[in-house]
Amino acid sequence: MGDIIRKDVNSEYAYSGAVKAGDYIFLTFCVGNVGGTIKEQVEGALGDMERRLTLFDLTLSAVVQVNVLLRDPWDIPIMEAVFKEKFKGIYPSRKTLSTEFAHKGGPEGLKCQIDGIAYYPK
């Protein structure tokens, strides 16, 4: 299996943003544009995911599975529209859940978080 490689480590909140184990990269707590509209936050979360993937010379096309956490499940159509634009037909498997975020931004802060798994074919 080889070594486990941890990147984008956040010591304040005790997590690694990207972990390579074997042929897979595990991505967690991808967020962005906190406080913006749901469209801006989904775009920001996928942008954060893209940034982490570049640490391993990968793109969104390597993502095989995502878990999307939304504050409001009625935002799913907006999230799906952003996914269509960003993944360009190469869609990962997906689970979408509604949750209340325990985040300092409160109800007007964090509205979307995305976790994912990418295949590392190298």
Side-chain angles (χ1 to χ4, degrees), residues 48-101:
D48 191 27
M49 182 173 283
E50 285 178 300
R51 178 188 60 78
R52 293 178 191 184
L53 287 166
T54 63
L55 298 172
F56 298 94
D57 296 321
L58 296 175
T59 65
L60 285 177
S61 66
V63 176
V64 295
Q65 196 272 334
V66 293
N67 292 323
V68 180
L69 291 93
L70 296 174
R71 180 177 296 277
D72 185 347
W74 291 101
D75 288 333
I76 288 174
I78 296 167
M79 180 266 307
E80 288 173 337
V82 174
F83 269 51
K84 288 175 183 177
E85 177 185 312
K86 293 294 231 173
F87 284 100
K88 299 179 184 358
I90 305 173
Y91 305 121
S93 66
R94 185 185 85 216
K95 178 184 351 177
T96 305
L97 302 168
S98 173
T99 187
E100 290 292 325
F101 290 105

Side-chain angles (χ1 to χ4, degrees), residues 1-6 19-24:
M1 178 166 110
D3 294 332
I4 295 174
I5 300 168
R6 291 172 174 81
V19 177
K20 180 184 178 296
D23 292 338
Y24 294 93

